[in-house]
Amino acid sequence: MRTTTAATALLAATLAPLALSAPTAEHHAQRQHQQQQQYVKLHKPTGAPSIAHSKDFTSFSFEPAFWTEFFGEAETPNQLTLSLLSRLSERGARPVIRPGGITMDSMIFDPAATKSAVRTTNAKGGVYRTTIGPSFYKAWDNFPEGTGFVSTLNFGNDSYDIARDLAAASHRYQRDKIRHFELGNEPTNYVSTRWQNKTDAYVAQWKDWTGRIDAELDNPKRSWWASSATTDKTGLEVRPAALIPAGIDDQKQVGQYSIHSYAFATCDPKRDALATIPNILNHTHLLEYADVEIYPSAKAALDEGNQWIVGEFNSVACSGKPNVTDTFAQALWTVDTDLIYAERNASAVYLHQGATLVFQSSQQSNTAGDDGGPGFSAYSLLYPVDSSKRGKARVNPGFVGQLFVTEALGTERVASLPAPKGVDSDYFAAYAFYDRDEGKKIRRVAAINSKPYYGKTGGNKRDSSDNAVHLDLSSLMPAALKGKKAWLKRMTAPAVNETDTARVTWAGQSFKQAVPEGKVDIERVPKDGKVEVRDSEAVLVFFYEDDVFRQ
Ligand SMILES: *[C@@H]1O[C@H](CO)[C@@H](O)[C@H](O)[C@H]1NC(C)=O
Ligand SMILES: *[C@@H]1O[C@H](CO)[C@@H](O)[C@H](O)[C@H]1NC(C)=O
Ligand SMILES: *[C@@H]1O[C@H](CO)[C@@H](O)[C@H](O)[C@H]1NC(C)=O
Ligand SMILES: *[C@@H]1O[C@H](CO)[C@@H](O)[C@H](O)[C@H]1NC(C)=O
Ligand SMILES: *[C@@H]1O[C@H](CO)[C@@H](O)[C@H](O)[C@H]1NC(C)=O
Ligand SMILES: *[C@@H]1O[C@H](CO)[C@@H](O)[C@H](O)[C@H]1NC(C)=O
């Protein structure tokens, strides 16, 4: 067990009789530095805690065209991806899987297809069509027990039969595993002649088709996601905030309103230049995007007494950015972003996985593989198979962020804590997790110091406490636990831009092959509640031993 917090060092320094250590000049300077260390108090949240969350809060979206790469065939599943999902389910999470994204709008069901999912592409890897067969649905049985799915339907081809056949097939093979239906992905990006930019025209066709499918399949009420819009400025206004007044839910069909969140992009050179590590970790910017672009739609849904979700999201649209989203920065981004939406009462967030889509933008910085094969998205949790573009199959550094959020949120309520005085609020966020029943008792606290840290030593060593925030958590502890030591798990890496997953750890362990490597390291927080969080590090403090997952 490691006790390297500066608090412990300070304690030791104070207790050690000065005469014993015959201090060198260097020692002396170091001690003075530690004594000057200012611990800033984290104060209780000012806002109300969120709704109590569900085990499916951290869910996933997988581009259907690359389903086979991520999950294999029904008889020969991809163990790397399934093992990664098991790391989450053993911690109590039950992610829902959405085989969704741009390619769901050119997906068809062929009852005679022998493979799960087959792409029809051009030489450069552009996907015209994805054909799925019965084994696509049968493969759902390979997922961890209790995994639910979204039955995603093609709206892009404007063929009722294609959409209905997909819905009917999902029903025939996996009725019990379907949690929601979704008709179309990002209708904001369809050809604008389809609905002439008229929200009402979109709503009329959506209601017509979903109503007919509900009748044919005898679906229960509220089976559907609605909207699935991006926040791009387009001629067609179909975010939930626009669809709700237009009467999308007249027939009580909508179970959850879905909106897609991408605050950064590599889709064109102008936005590519802004997709940097310092920008994606700027908490103020992430909050601004959430409150300006996403929350009005969330609020419209909540005001209707309905649920809302982030039905697809990731850090950098158009498949991420190498050396940014395939680094440890992605883990810090994940934790902060998930918790921003959890506090705003999202019922779930679906982190998107996939590969570069050549037809998405002619100006994007990413490409498919040289052989026309998948150029796996640099924001993906893993590169699911060996590829010319990304090398060996492996888990990416961002994955530990999922472990952090899973253990932090559980099924609890969350509220953000204001950044303490003197701490840079562009690069700091903290959250308290309240018990799900009454929402009164703080069980856990997360602190994310997202200030980019590029390392000094180049090795695995922690540097001096210059590049750190020093927090005093004592005022957050439940009264009954005052004077007791808490437990702490740390998410860290030698530097923010670390790309080697073997050097990125959660509670001391790394997960490059989706299995834990190394010994679990659960630190103890001293009785005075003092904690050091280095720049580009996040910690999760547990006040109750029962909450500490040990493996
Ligand atoms: C569906 O639309 C795509 C273009 O979005 C087209 O390439 C494909 O051929 C269409 N598929 C069918 C079955 O009509
Ligand atoms: C829809 O709006 C977009 C953006 O304003 C515009 O470029 C496009 O021409 C419009 N399409 C139609 C059919 O009016
Ligand atoms: C962080 O983002 C905010 C809002 O976009 C901006 O005002 C601020 O300058 C950014 N901070 C840094 C350090 O770039
Ligand atoms: C990523 O960074 C490494 C090391 O600095 C460099 O060699 C490589 O070219 C970079 N890759 C891209 C796509 O920028
Ligand atoms: C989230 O829900 C809780 C409980 O209903 C409520 O008190 C809080 O104001 C909501 N927060 C937001 C941001 O909507
Ligand atoms: C990480 O950042 C350091 C310092 O800027 C740089 O020397 C190194 O090449 C970067 N590594 C990658 C993989 O980009």
Side-chain angles (χ1 to χ4, degrees):
M1 219 168 284
R2 189 173 67 179
T3 45
T4 48
T5 62
T8 336
L10 175 58
L11 203 64
T14 324
L15 294 178
L18 279 173
L20 265 188
S21 45
T24 61
E26 193 192 341
H27 254 128
H28 190 68
Q30 198 181 344
R31 182 169 308 145
Q32 268 196 335
H33 176 79
Q34 282 164 344
Q35 279 165 349
Q36 285 159 1
Q37 204 66 73
Q38 287 282 321
Y39 279 80
V40 285
K41 248 191 166 73
L42 266 183
H43 290 288
K44 287 205 167 140
T46 44
S50 72
I51 55 172
H53 283 287
S54 303
K55 292 178 171 184
D56 62 358
F57 180 81
T58 46
S59 284
F60 301 106
S61 165
F62 286 86
E63 200 63 62
F66 307 102
W67 178 266
T68 309
E69 280 79 6
F70 280 98
F71 298 112
E73 290 294 338
E75 306 301 322
T76 51
N78 182 330
Q79 295 300 345
L80 185 66
T81 312
L82 293 174
S83 170
L84 179 147
L85 292 175
S86 298
R87 299 289 77 76
L88 303 174
S89 66
E90 71 197 6
R91 287 170 170 78
R94 289 293 176 273
V96 171
I97 305 295
R98 168 197 188 238
I102 289 175
T103 59
M104 83 189 233
D105 273 321
S106 54
M107 177 167 85
I108 61 170
F109 175 72
D110 176 357
T114 54
K115 302 267 193 202
S116 284
V118 175
R119 289 185 291 276
T120 309
T121 61
N122 68 9
K124 292 201 162 138
V127 182
Y128 293 109
R129 180 186 295 186
T130 303
T131 306
I132 63 171
S135 58
F136 173 82
Y137 298 106
K138 287 179 186 154
W140 292 6
D141 290 335
N142 293 332
F143 286 71
E145 175 107 29
T147 303
F149 292 82
V150 183
S151 174
T152 48
L153 314 181
N154 175 344
F155 205 17
N157 279 105
D158 204 1
S159 155
Y160 177 75
D161 289 350
I162 291 178
R164 190 266 328 275
D165 288 352
L166 285 161
S170 68
H171 222 249
R172 183 172 332 128
Y173 296 107
Q174 291 288 11
R175 179 175 195 144
D176 294 345
K177 290 195 164 86
I178 300 171
R179 297 282 181 275
H180 318 275
F181 288 90
E182 182 184 34
L183 179 60
N185 173 75
E186 302 180 354
T188 31
N189 296 331
Y190 291 11
V191 287
S192 69
T193 45
R194 171 101 171 247
W195 297 294
Q196 307 292 327
N197 290 337
K198 293 195 176 79
T199 305
D200 286 347
Y202 169 86
V203 169
Q205 192 180 20
W206 187 91
K207 279 161 72 171
D208 177 37
W209 287 27
T210 56
R212 284 154 71 189
I213 290 168
D214 276 349
E216 285 193 45
L217 300 184
D218 197 19
N219 275 340
K221 287 228 180 277
R222 303 210 172 280
S223 294
W224 294 89
W225 281 2
S227 177
S228 314
T230 63
T231 60
D232 297 337
K233 308 270 176 285
T234 59
L236 181 68
E237 253 307 328
V238 288
R239 296 190 202 186
L243 290 184
I244 292 168
I248 191 97
D249 198 27
D250 284 354
Q251 305 300 316
K252 310 267 175 265
Q253 289 177 283
V254 181
Q256 295 181 325
Y257 287 96
S258 163
I259 186 162
H260 294 186
S261 163
Y262 289 95
F264 298 92
T266 46
C267 306
D268 53 73
K270 204 169 146 210
R271 286 187 290 170
D272 186 28
L274 295 173
T276 62
I277 287 178
N279 285 349
I280 72 164
L281 294 181
N282 181 336
H283 178 65
T284 313
H285 184 90
L286 297 175
L287 280 182
E288 225 169 68
Y289 178 82
D291 285 331
V292 172
E293 302 291 348
I294 303 287
Y295 192 67
S297 281
K299 186 167 184 333
L302 295 168
D303 287 350
E304 289 291 294
N306 226 316
Q307 295 186 344
W308 79 280
I309 57 165
V310 178
E312 188 190 306
F313 79 121
N314 214 313
S315 49
V316 176
C318 285
S319 297
K321 184 166 176 173
N323 287 346
V324 175
T325 62
D326 58 357
T327 74
F328 180 60
Q330 174 81 4
L332 294 162
W333 171 87
T334 299
V335 173
D336 196 21
T337 303
D338 280 13
L339 296 177
I340 285 172
Y341 290 129
E343 182 181 32
R344 284 159 182 71
N345 291 334
S347 288
V349 294
Y350 286 71
L351 191 72
H352 193 57
Q353 311 292 306
T356 296
L357 296 169
V358 174
F359 298 145
Q360 187 172 2
S361 163
S362 56
Q363 296 182 288
Q364 63 185 321
S365 61
N366 289 308
T367 55
D370 299 333
D371 51 0
F376 292 109
S377 300
Y379 55 47
S380 288
L381 292 167
L382 76 164
Y383 295 139
V385 293
D386 297 353
S387 64
S388 63
K389 186 96 187 169
R390 304 292 182 212
K392 285 279 176 207
R394 64 188 182 279
V395 173
N396 273 321
F399 174 62
V400 291
Q402 295 296 322
L403 299 175
F404 188 113
V405 175
T406 301
E407 294 191 37
L409 187 60
T411 58
E412 253 74 72
R413 302 166 188 273
V414 61
S416 59
L417 311 173
K421 238 177 135 173
V423 170
D424 183 353
S425 56
D426 281 350
Y427 291 113
F428 180 83
Y431 299 89
F433 302 91
Y434 287 81
D435 68 284
R436 71 174 278 114
D437 299 329
E438 291 184 49
K440 295 231 166 77
K441 203 159 48 187
I442 297 179
R443 298 194 69 91
R444 300 182 282 280
V445 173
I448 304 140
N449 177 357
S450 61
K451 184 161 283 187
Y453 176 76
Y454 292 92
K456 281 183 186 157
T457 57
N460 259 315
K461 275 191 233 101
R462 288 163 64 81
D463 293 313
S464 81
S465 46
D466 289 348
N467 305 90
V469 294
H470 297 86
L471 303 172
D472 173 350
L473 270 46
S474 57
S475 66
L476 302 174
M477 282 191 176
L481 299 180
K482 284 266 151 53
K484 296 233 163 73
K485 287 185 177 176
W487 292 262
L488 181 149
K489 291 189 180 181
R490 195 175 292 274
M491 186 176 89
T492 192
V496 70
N497 65 346
E498 180 62 61
T499 53
D500 182 359
T501 309
R503 285 150 64 94
V504 169
T505 56
W506 167 237
Q509 297 185 305
S510 64
F511 294 85
K512 192 165 184 172
Q513 296 305 322
V515 289
E517 295 278 345
K519 269 171 72 180
V520 184
D521 180 3
I522 299 167
E523 301 170 43
R524 297 304 297 272
V525 179
K527 291 173 188 168
D528 58 8
K530 289 188 173 149
V531 168
E532 178 183 293
V533 190
R534 200 204 64 202
D535 293 350
S536 300
E537 226 179 43
V539 300
L540 178 60
V541 173
F542 302 81
F543 293 137
Y544 294 88
E545 188 171 9
D546 284 356
D547 292 355
V548 183
F549 175 83
R550 291 166 201 276
Q551 180 80 336

